[in-house]
Amino acid sequence: MSSNKKYWKSVEELENGSIVEALRNNEFVEAIPTDEFLGNKEAMSSSTSRRDFLKYVGFSTAAATLAACEGPVNKSIPYVLQPEQIIPGVADYYATSVFDGFDFANLLVKTREGRPIKIDNNTISGAKFTANARIHASILSLYDNMRLKEPKIGGKDSTWSAVDSKIKSSIVEAKAKGGQVVLLTNTLASPSTEKLIGQFIASNPNAKHIIYDAVSSSETLDAFEAVYGERALVDYDFSKASLIVSVGADFLGDWQGGGYDSGYAQGRVPKNGKMSRHFQLEANMTLSGAAADKRLPMSTANQKQALVQIYNIVTGSAVAVSLEDKFKSEVTKAAQQLKSAGSKGVLVSGIQDKNAQLLVVAINQVLASEAFSTSGTRQIRKGSNEKVAQLVKDMKAGSVHTLIMSGVNPVYTLADSASFTEGLKKVTTSVAFTLKEDETALVSTIAAPVPHYLEAWGDLSLTKGTYSLTQPTIRPLFDTKQFQDVLMSLNGMSGTYYDYIKANSSSIVSGATWNKILHDGVYVGTAQSVSGGSADFSAAASALAKSKAVAGYELVLYTKTGMGDGQQANNPWLQEFPDPITRVSWDNYVTVSNADAKALLMSNEIVANGGLNGSYATITTADGLKLDNVPVIVQPGQAVGTIGLALGYGRKAALKEEMQVGINAYSLYKGFNDVQSVTLEKADGDHEFACVQGQKTLMGRGDIIKETTLEIFNTKDAKFWNEVPMVSLNHEEVEATTVDLWDSFDRSVGHHFNLSIDLNACTGCGACVIACHAENNVPVVGKSEIRRSRDMHWLRIDRYYSSESTFEGDNERKDNISGLSSSLSTFNEMEKAGDNPQVAFQPVMCQHCNHAPCETVCPVAATSHSRQGQNHMAYNRCVGTRYCANNCPYKVRRFNWFLYNKNSEFDYHMNDDLGRMVLNPDVNVRSRGVMEKCSMCIQMTQATILNAKREGREVVDGEFQTACSNACSTGAMAFGDVNDKGSNITKLAEDERMYHLLEHVGTKPNVIYHVKVRNT
């Protein structure tokens, strides 16, 4: 019997059935573009043959299939005349060097079909400076769609001929009127550019050159110049130091430009029972403080007194100090050990005070420190605070007629930018040579676009006695011109800047050809030590000892690992990069100690959706300047009475709306002093952070981060300090590594890859994270998605704090738990980090388990294992059940909640044609609804195997690399084939410090870790 009942599939059908019915009967809601393929509609309506009809029907079916597929279809257009140098599918590498006034490195640039797509470190002898996270990300800044694309005069599009004409006429007018012509640049470190500027000034006596570093090292430069007669920085070699004392210097961060981590790590890995010892005295928690064996959180005022105390003990002086009692014994102990270390000891300081820096020189001279050398000094900071301040006065007085700026953005970076802007209005002609139409370019007469360093020629002398070249790896994308080419035109010179560099290089180098230097990227000559070496150190100590604590709170300004000085604020890779210490992205914030936060009623809390919220604060300076609604992070290890705030944020000009985040802390950088007296008050409301690590402490989970002391490491068996977890088998306790739930395969045939991570060498710098982004087309998802715990990083660097003063103290407290109620209360308390916790960093990616639990539960076999040890993902098979993510004990698998490519909801580099030029063609761009994760860079390992096969040879040790191991400057990450018994990775796998993450789970990972040893 049939039913007459009517069923509705939805409420919409019930309420408006006619529309729903029409849509249901329309197979294709959008019309199929038949006219594009089969001619116009009139032709189709005429009498049609059977063949045409079938062709039409066949096309309809194909069109419907294509419409249902998310993957884009792009046509490949072959070369008409293929360049000899380019072989499709084969990468080319170019040696180059970079210095943008803040960051510097010797690089290899990977290009594919003429597109630069990745930054690697130049490993040739003499190439000593490696890329940090920001330099790895700079490849994306090349393809920034917000770059200035053509010159502008008065805010309107113009031409280079008009620009040249206007600048030349302005210089002539300045001469006639007796006005100043000022070249305001960042530190150049370029012999050829400096020579050009010298020629310009020689032909224009009314011209002068002023160097301006946005983040100043002027006091350090002044001190070194006073002693040695040269304006330079010491290039410390921490590999030669057995004892390091740092007073406020984050030398693993951006102190003196960074680049010290490689030498530091060499002494931190225990060899023959020895490793270096590191004391850190600082206010903010930094990368250096996190790595230290002993860290003392103290204000800058106390740091100055501590420095005088160390000076007294090392040199035998008796200057009166007023150091707080709670620090005296530890500072004295550090000073005594430093004196005992002699030439194997070194002291560094980041205090921006000339007297403090003079004491640094004095102490290292008395020690005869091998790590402190006056030869091969760094040439990467030359700025003068006094000259910049005088320039602003001259501009306001109307005595500057023409101002030509290159590589600087003072309207954004100067604390008193209002005065600079006021003075700029009195300058007749102002020219800003810039990558972007930034804050300064917007208020200048002329905005002159310059090429990215990957489009330009240049030379550099980063340290005295070395010479390196910058060469273009792609033709300029826009109508740009180098500052040096314009200088040559102003000097009345013919030819190109390339010709000038080539001719000039012959007077700088000897015994090396141009082609050799260009091929290698670097040339190392002989660096002469600077002479001199005396000053009134006792007077400097007496003056420093009179330093007083600031009123209110001591604000310590710093540069974040991801953002630096803010030049690349429009780079989404850097904005989404989690800060190594706080694990927060897409923000800067004021860091406050737990004690001060309680006193001010400020807090952080994890809310119902898993996101981190925090209070707002108002910061007021001594002269009344206010910063309102600054987000607050309660930072373990922050010195009581001090607060920290990162520079480089708060930009608006030439930035996409999504990147216009944070507070401009440069407004507080008064007198180029990174320490300011401020008051701090709680403001209304809560700030929503994008934090990728809600859990803050290790909380007794000692099988994740295994660590021991150097004494125990040297005196006890490895089974004591690298304990293997035990499990029950047949009612007997056995080692977990001996128990298998799966049958094992013979993996001794062919290659078998392992990745080693040494916790002693890892500094948490994050270069590996950005390199992984670039190599594997990892998408950017934005602040909102990060807050929902949907970050897509294939590699994360977990940061752990201790709850007690040490991790060992945590373990003892955990072991003393008795009963359920004690367990609950104790573990709840242990989730709170200590006031001065120990810190550990641990990079975690897919562990490529030989007994992978993700493979067991995948219903469509989308994830599987290879004989080479890599866990594979077949994206086309994945249906997004996420069973694998649930079954992964390491939580390293990422789910594509959305399509991040060509999606206006995610308006980052993958949403515009220019930004997509950075994509690696060897790696799929994943679609919505699939799982993705670390592939152990299978495209790189297979390319290495194929290259060796084509050349008829075996792969040599060290040739196998992943993006992260390639980027790691400290050697913390090492990759290779464990079936090669003579390889470095095999030795690491057999080392007594080796362990696997969560060994008791029995997954048999191919990623190995090494126990962290502390020299306490």
Side-chain angles (χ1 to χ4, degrees), residues 196-234:
L196 276 175
I197 290 175
Q199 291 169 331
F200 176 79
I201 293 173
S203 59
N204 296 278
N206 61 327
K208 60 182 177 180
H209 179 209
I210 295 175
I211 300 172
Y212 165 48
D213 297 321
V215 181
S216 176
S217 296
S218 187
E219 301 289 343
T220 309
L221 294 166
D222 292 343
F224 191 83
E225 188 176 23
V227 179
Y228 295 104
E230 179 189 5
R231 198 162 183 78
L233 299 173
V234 177

Side-chain angles (χ1 to χ4, degrees), residues 835-890:
D835 290 334
N836 182 27
Q838 281 190 339
V839 186
F841 296 109
Q842 184 177 52
V844 179
M845 67 295 290
C846 174
Q847 302 291 290
H848 296 272
C849 312
N850 289 319
H851 294 166
C854 56
E855 296 167 12
T856 310
V857 297
C858 182
V860 292
T863 183
S864 59
H865 213 70
S866 75
R867 291 192 68 89
Q868 296 179 347
Q870 291 152 312
N871 177 266
H872 292 174
M873 273 298 305
Y875 299 124
N876 283 358
R877 301 195 66 154
C878 180
V879 294
T881 62
R882 291 183 284 153
Y883 295 162
C884 56
N886 290 335
N887 221 38
C888 174
Y890 308 104

Side-chain angles (χ1 to χ4, degrees), residues 802-810 813 830 832-834 836-838:
S802 65
S803 179
E804 302 296 310
S805 59
T806 64
F807 283 107
E808 185 55 38
D810 285 11
R813 189 173 182 188
M830 289 178 71
K832 299 180 178 68
N836 182 27
Q838 281 190 339

Side-chain angles (χ1 to χ4, degrees), residues 206-279:
N206 61 327
K208 60 182 177 180
H209 179 209
I210 295 175
I211 300 172
Y212 165 48
D213 297 321
V215 181
S216 176
S217 296
S218 187
E219 301 289 343
T220 309
L221 294 166
D222 292 343
F224 191 83
E225 188 176 23
V227 179
Y228 295 104
E230 179 189 5
R231 198 162 183 78
L233 299 173
V234 177
D235 188 29
Y236 292 88
D237 186 352
F238 289 99
S239 67
K240 296 179 178 178
S242 64
L243 185 75
I244 301 163
V245 178
S246 170
V247 183
D250 182 17
F251 57 86
L252 296 180
D254 294 331
W255 176 75
Q256 293 198 175
Y260 293 112
D261 45 358
S262 178
Y264 174 80
Q266 290 180 41
R268 296 297 288 171
V269 177
K271 294 172 187 171
N272 303 318
K274 295 181 179 180
M275 62 180 285
S276 63
R277 192 147 196 245
H278 174 192
F279 287 90

